[in-house]
Amino acid sequence: MSIRYPLETPCVLIDTEVMQRNITAMAAVAAKHGVKLRPHAKTHKLPSVALRQVAAGAVGVTVAKVSEAEVMAAGGVSSIFIAYPLVTPGKIERAARLSQQIELIVGVDSLAGAQLLEETAARLGATLQVRLEIDTGLRRTGVGFESALGIADGIARLPHLRLTGIYTFRGAVLSGKPTLDLEAAGFEEGTVMALLAKRLRAHGHAIADVSVGSTPTAAYAAAVDGVTEIRPGTYVYQDRMQAKFGVCGLDDCAGSVLVTVVSRPAADLAIVDGGSKTFATDVQPGTQPLQLAGFGHVVGLPDAVLARMNEEHGMLELGPDAQAADLKVGDQLRIIPNHICSTVNLHNGVVMVQGDKFERVPVSARGMLE
């Protein structure tokens, strides 16, 4: 069972061949349905990977923060959507200035937020392209279906804003509840948004973009007539959560965490050098709808469970097969995390693996929170 990489642990490994296969596959989904692909860069946080996605057919990327947009633009990405409401003067000014260098689209979900965008854009003599965010069931940011027209009307009266689209994010949710029925969830998401776009157009709004879709629902939402763009993110690396959804297999997970066994206090217990500072904890074990066991999949030891963590320690509970593998102190293991996106954000760099070649790459947009 023992593997040996010439690397210090813990570290995130990215299999570049698998990553490229994932990039190509999602680009093919978008092309098949005639929609634009604008992947969310939250997963990789690397301009070099974003450029791979663009080379495969993506029109640009999606980010959540102005600072992420700045990193992507500096790395050569020329079309960026900030899918997040900007409401503070400093962030809006940075976005307005960036919009004069690249194609930049900004999210908005209130008239108050739109007015703040207008004031800064007017002062700088800029025009901001905006999309109205719609809440389709996640109950996060976004406006309800019935409120959208009134807010769109208000935005249209602001001379320095140009409303070009609507967008939503809700993931694997159906009728307001978590679901494993991804096809129904994607169809419902796309249908609601396409219907709203028709309503807004009927009232004079030039809605060009109807942007939807997470990694689990993208392929199904893309098939809905009237959807123009999908924004999956996790697909580029994939993770255990997506594998459990059935979106991919574990062999499609380009990202994993390399750890070392540092202690064997009992036959059914191994301690590794990756804890909560190494693995994301936002996708908790035993929660709906996936009911995952532990915080990651231990490659080659399916009955080993990363059951507990503190900051620097990961506790692997070993089933019969894992015990028979006779793990020793110093052995290395690969663990596919439940959620790769927030795991990557815990690390200053990732190791790109191509065959027997290893390249450590700084995660340029890591920690870009503002």
Side-chain angles (χ1 to χ4, degrees), residues 140-192:
R140 199 172 65 176
T141 47
V143 302
F145 189 98
E146 296 304 323
S147 303
L149 178 57
I151 294 178
D153 288 343
I155 293 171
R157 290 192 287 269
L158 300 174
H160 293 86
L161 302 187
R162 186 162 60 94
L163 178 62
T164 60
I166 57 175
Y167 75 103
T168 193
F169 176 84
R170 70 169 187 176
V173 171
L174 182 63
S175 301
K177 296 180 181 179
T179 184
L180 294 175
D181 190 344
L182 304 181
E183 183 173 6
F187 179 79
E188 183 180 80
E189 177 184 353
T191 299
V192 167

Side-chain angles (χ1 to χ4, degrees), residues 285-367:
T287 56
Q288 293 292 347
L290 296 177
Q291 294 292 337
L292 295 169
F295 290 92
H297 170 79
V298 185
V299 176
L301 297 176
D303 68 342
V305 178
L306 181 56
R308 297 177 292 120
M309 294 189 294
N310 53 29
E311 291 180 72
E312 307 293 355
H313 301 75
M315 279 60 86
L316 294 181
E317 295 180 355
L318 307 179
D321 291 341
Q323 291 181 43
D326 193 26
L327 289 175
K328 293 180 171 55
V329 169
D331 283 351
Q332 291 181 338
L333 296 169
R334 285 197 307 118
I335 301 178
I336 299 170
N338 288 355
H339 192 192
I340 190 66
C341 308
S342 40
T343 295
V344 167
N345 193 55
L346 295 172
H347 295 257
N348 290 327
V350 297
V351 178
M352 296 290 181
V353 182
Q354 185 172 10
D356 59 357
K357 296 179 181 178
F358 304 88
E359 179 187 7
R360 186 168 182 84
V361 178
V363 180
S364 308
R366 176 193 178 269

Side-chain angles (χ1 to χ4, degrees), residues 122-328:
R123 178 167 54 82
L124 297 176
T127 298
L128 286 173
Q129 184 181 165
V130 300
R131 290 177 179 175
L132 178 60
E133 183 174 10
I134 310 302
D135 177 17
T136 51
L138 193 61
R139 293 181 60 81
R140 199 172 65 176
T141 47
V143 302
F145 189 98
E146 296 304 323
S147 303
L149 178 57
I151 294 178
D153 288 343
I155 293 171
R157 290 192 287 269
L158 300 174
H160 293 86
L161 302 187
R162 186 162 60 94
L163 178 62
T164 60
I166 57 175
Y167 75 103
T168 193
F169 176 84
R170 70 169 187 176
V173 171
L174 182 63
S175 301
K177 296 180 181 179
T179 184
L180 294 175
D181 190 344
L182 304 181
E183 183 173 6
F187 179 79
E188 183 180 80
E189 177 184 353
T191 299
V192 167
M193 291 294 285
L195 180 62
L196 178 58
K198 275 188 176 182
R199 181 183 183 191
L200 294 176
R201 291 182 191 122
H203 284 80
H205 297 287
I207 302 299
D209 298 307
V210 180
S211 181
V212 303
S214 56
T215 292
T217 63
Y220 305 111
V224 175
D225 186 38
V227 166
T228 69
E229 180 180 280
I230 53 174
R231 304 188 323 278
T234 309
Y235 80 93
V236 66
Y237 293 159
Q238 299 289 20
D239 56 21
R240 189 186 186 207
M241 177 169 53
Q242 301 306 323
K244 188 66 182 290
F245 270 127
V247 172
C248 66
L250 289 169
D251 289 343
D252 298 312
C253 294
S256 61
V257 179
L258 185 69
V259 296
T260 298
V261 177
V262 296
S263 180
R264 284 299 317 274
D268 62 349
L269 181 64
I271 313 302
V272 298
D273 60 351
S276 61
K277 288 183 177 178
T278 299
F279 292 91
T281 57
D282 55 335
V283 178
Q284 286 281 313
T287 56
Q288 293 292 347
L290 296 177
Q291 294 292 337
L292 295 169
F295 290 92
H297 170 79
V298 185
V299 176
L301 297 176
D303 68 342
V305 178
L306 181 56
R308 297 177 292 120
M309 294 189 294
N310 53 29
E311 291 180 72
E312 307 293 355
H313 301 75
M315 279 60 86
L316 294 181
E317 295 180 355
L318 307 179
D321 291 341
Q323 291 181 43
D326 193 26
L327 289 175
K328 293 180 171 55

